[in-house]
């Protein structure tokens, strides 16, 4: 996409360029390849936010991996503290004895991933690790640490490279901060 594309006008700044993302995803693929030598991990992508990161990441991993996806939705903000996550689409494969690597776009409060990790553990996975593109540690509300994280970012609402605001901006090739004129800045 050209730098003067209309979609960029809604950003107040670029936080991570597409080149920086490309380099980080490449390095992460190498690390995962080394860490899972001799294994056949299953990469579980959390739709829809992780889809762009997921597609790029699996092509940087030199292993006979398996793929599967989940769609989850966190309950509204008022009930967030309960940590209940609704499963909209579950996995289609069994996890018994499987090395699972959850691929997520961003760890924010950590509530979604904490819930998912516990749930998948109960299904008999051999191991469960988390790979996230972005990490907002300042927002954490549960004790959860991603095993692999590409970028630590400040507490700002970001879009692009899969992340949305109101289902838009997922197709931006970079990570940007949404302009306050678009995002009311509530929260
Ligand atoms: P949490 O870690 O359970 O709070 O939720 C993480 C989810 O919230 C992510 O998978 C995103 O869908 C969404 N999210 C959190 N922060 C942002 C952001 O800055 N931009 C877009 N989506 C976000
Ligand atoms: Mg998400």
């Amino acid at each position: 996409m050209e730098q003067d594309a209309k979609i960029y006008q809604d950003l107040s700044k670029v936080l991570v360029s597409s080149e920086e993302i490309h380099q980080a995803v490449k390095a992460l693929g190498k690390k995962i390849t080394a860490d899972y030598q001799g294994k056949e991990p299953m990469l579980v992508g959390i739709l829809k936010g992780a889809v762009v990161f997921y597609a790029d990441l699996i092509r940087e991993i030199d292993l006979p991996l398996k793929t599967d996806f989940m769609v989850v939705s966190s309950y509204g903000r008022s009930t967030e503290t309960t940590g209940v996550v609704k499963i909209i689409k579950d996995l289609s494969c069994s996890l018994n004895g499987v090395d699972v690597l959850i691929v997520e776009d961003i760890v924010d409060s950590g509530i979604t991933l904490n819930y998912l990790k516990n749930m998948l553990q109960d299904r008999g996975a051999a191991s469960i690790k988390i790979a996230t593109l972005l990490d907002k540690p300042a927002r954490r509300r549960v004790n959860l640490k991603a095993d692999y994280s590409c970028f630590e970012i400040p507490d700002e609402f970001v879009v692009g490279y899969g992340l949305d605001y109101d289902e838009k901006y997922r197709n931006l090739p970079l990570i940007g901060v949404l302009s306050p004129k678009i995002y009311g800045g509530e929260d």
Side-chain angles (χ1 to χ4, degrees):
M1 219 180 279
E2 304 291 330
Q3 277 296 331
D4 61 354
K6 220 173 167 190
I7 198 166
Y8 290 113
Q9 293 169 7
D10 293 350
L11 301 180
S12 59
K13 69 175 170 205
V14 171
L15 210 55
V16 192
S17 72
S18 64
E19 186 48 36
E20 286 170 314
I21 295 173
H22 179 68
Q23 292 307 327
V25 172
K26 222 174 146 165
L28 178 56
K30 267 196 171 163
K31 189 157 180 14
I32 291 169
T33 302
D35 290 356
Y36 284 86
Q37 272 308 303
K39 296 184 173 163
E40 289 191 22
M42 182 188 294
L43 270 74
V44 172
I46 309 302
L47 300 177
K48 302 174 218 173
V51 72
V52 182
F53 175 45
Y54 187 101
D56 283 348
L57 179 62
I58 59 170
R59 285 176 289 177
E60 300 293 345
I61 299 175
D62 186 12
L63 292 171
L65 57 81
K66 299 191 185 89
T67 61
D68 209 344
F69 298 92
M70 289 183 93
V71 180
V72 302
S73 113
S74 301
Y75 280 114
R77 287 193 177 277
S78 55
T79 57
E80 221 178 37
T81 43
T82 63
V84 178
V85 175
K86 195 168 155 192
I87 308 296
I88 312 281
K89 183 221 170 283
D90 207 335
L91 297 172
S92 42
C93 306
S94 153
L95 292 188
N96 211 10
V98 175
D99 290 299
V100 175
L101 181 58
I102 300 174
V103 180
E104 180 57 304
D105 51 359
I106 185 166
V107 185
D108 188 46
S109 70
I111 289 171
T112 310
L113 278 180
N114 196 45
Y115 180 88
L116 274 182
K117 202 176 171 182
N118 291 333
M119 194 189 85
L120 300 186
Q121 194 86 67
D122 287 346
R123 296 187 187 179
S127 69
I128 302 190
K129 284 189 180 181
I130 294 169
T132 186
L133 176 73
L134 305 174
D135 189 0
K136 269 189 206 172
R139 296 260 306 172
R140 204 71 92 251
R141 285 170 55 191
V142 292
N143 182 20
L144 181 105
K145 205 179 168 321
D147 301 275
Y148 305 100
S149 164
C150 293
F151 302 98
E152 234 178 59
I153 62 165
D155 183 10
E156 291 184 285
F157 194 84
V158 294
V159 293
Y161 199 71
L163 289 108
D164 75 307
Y165 173 65
D166 201 14
E167 291 302 327
K168 288 189 284 189
Y169 310 105
R170 294 196 199 273
N171 55 328
L172 277 171
L174 44 73
I175 301 290
V177 176
L178 200 56
S179 166
K181 70 174 193 268
I182 309 291
Y183 176 60
E186 111 303 346
D187 191 16

